[in-house]
Amino acid sequence: MLVLQKMSKCINKILSHLSATLAVLLLLSILLSFLTPHAVAEDVSPTTAPIAILMCYDSGEILYERNMEQRWIPASMTKIMTAFIVYQEIEAGNLTLDTEIIVGEEAARFSAAGRAHGVNIRMREGQAITVETLLALALIPSDNTSCVVFAEHISGSEEAFIERMNETAARLGMYGYFASSHGASIHHTNAYSIAILIREFISRFPDVLRITAMQTVSYGGRTYNNTNHLLRGTVFEGADGFKTGSLRQARWNHSTTAERDGKRLIAVVMNTPSNSARQQQSRLLLNYGFEVLEQREAIRNTMNVLIHSRRVQVDTRPAILHGRAMLPLNSIAAHIGYSTEWHKEHGVIIMKTDSSEVTLFADRDIAIVHGTALEMDAPAQVFRGEVFISLELVEILTNTTAVWNVESGMIHFRRR
């Protein structure tokens, strides 16, 4: 609070002696230099995973992310790319799910060595195994040998197959590189890349969900469980894939997808401390996403806004950003007596009346309201090319209290 008071005094001096344009630039500089942890809003993140992304499947919109572009070891989530290439071969007519692949020399040698981390099912050279069985073994218990069988059959060697994996990743706009077909090795990508790969996979080859939704697969007289525990019983409603990954250096990763009421989400968490943690963080992330989609559905057409019992026409659809209702600035400003200026290059938004001025900073939780620096629960944000402001700010500027009825879509700003 002391910091904010000092900022407020500096701001008042600036505003009284300098032009508005120069004041805005200096205000931005002052805010950046004075900003301390005391001015940062409480973290209300839906997950504690160090790396995370939550993506809407239909639109590709990122509903939440933390360090989604940080390079990290995918471990067995690498198998998603191997399976994707297998489905490409099916699409091209080179394979079918019933095609029997003969286990080659390289795959048999890999199987016998048993040196790779994780599941390495023994397969003999010359043994015939169907494509569908190999896919299930790779995606459900995360078998490494199955991936080498695919690599050798499709490209002649795992080295050549890895080249195709990296070429495919580049075409999809993914970051990083692959050094094996199975992921029991050190190579890097990021959570965003895994999410876009899964989205492309489901879009082009939805049959993969039939396999990733399987809880078990039987082979060689043994039954293997799916490493994605969200599929067990009723652990998470709507879950139907995707793939886990773990290595000592990578810790515990998890990618998953779920669908409810025709809406699908894709979640990826990486670098979590345990198997149970990755399952829990994925569940929290997906629950958060479906809550956001439910809230959006409640205001999908328009939101009725009343200010001092007077109905306000909102031309642009409001948005739920980070779990909070936000109003489009251009639609609301004139109704509360303000004109607006948006300085995109600086991320600065200025609201003016004849007697007062408000300065907002996109994605920062501080606003300068009538010359006083205030901490905001929700900062102004740019979404769909427009500036959106919080209900809290409208409350301050209109001296009202917001009452939001989710079922009716009515927001009523009532006099205090």
Side-chain angles (χ1 to χ4, degrees), residues 221-291:
R222 180 178 172 182
T223 297
Y224 297 89
N225 293 321
N226 198 319
T227 57
N228 181 1
H229 296 176
L230 267 63
L231 299 168
R232 295 183 177 179
T234 58
V235 171
F236 193 88
E237 178 190 351
D240 52 9
F242 215 79
K243 185 73 189 73
T244 61
S246 63
L247 274 176
R248 179 179 60 82
Q249 301 89 334
R251 304 219 292 174
W252 300 83
N253 305 330
H254 196 196
S255 63
T256 189
T257 184
E259 184 178 38
R260 292 180 185 172
D261 299 323
K263 299 178 180 63
R264 178 173 295 280
L265 295 173
I266 297 168
V268 181
V269 296
M270 305 178 81
N271 189 19
T272 66
S274 67
N275 184 18
S276 60
R278 68 179 174 184
Q279 312 284 346
Q280 179 192 35
Q281 296 308 313
S282 294
R283 186 164 56 248
L284 290 172
L285 204 54
L286 289 169
N287 273 329
Y288 167 81
F290 282 118
E291 287 174 5

Side-chain angles (χ1 to χ4, degrees), residues 16 45 71 135 157 192 244 250 258 275 284 301 332 335 385:
S16 63
S45 300
R71 67 194 299 265
L135 280 169
S157 69
Y192 175 70
T244 61
N275 184 18
L284 290 172
N301 296 318
I332 204 75
H335 294 289

Side-chain angles (χ1 to χ4, degrees), residues 96 144 146 152 271:
T96 70
N144 296 321
S146 300
E152 188 176 9
N271 189 19

Side-chain angles (χ1 to χ4, degrees), residues 28 36 79 111 128 141 146 165 167 228 234 298 320 331 335 410:
L28 179 60
T36 71
K79 294 178 174 73
S111 172
S146 300
M165 294 173 73
E167 290 169 358
N228 181 1
T234 58
I320 300 292
S331 293
H335 294 289
M410 173 72 73

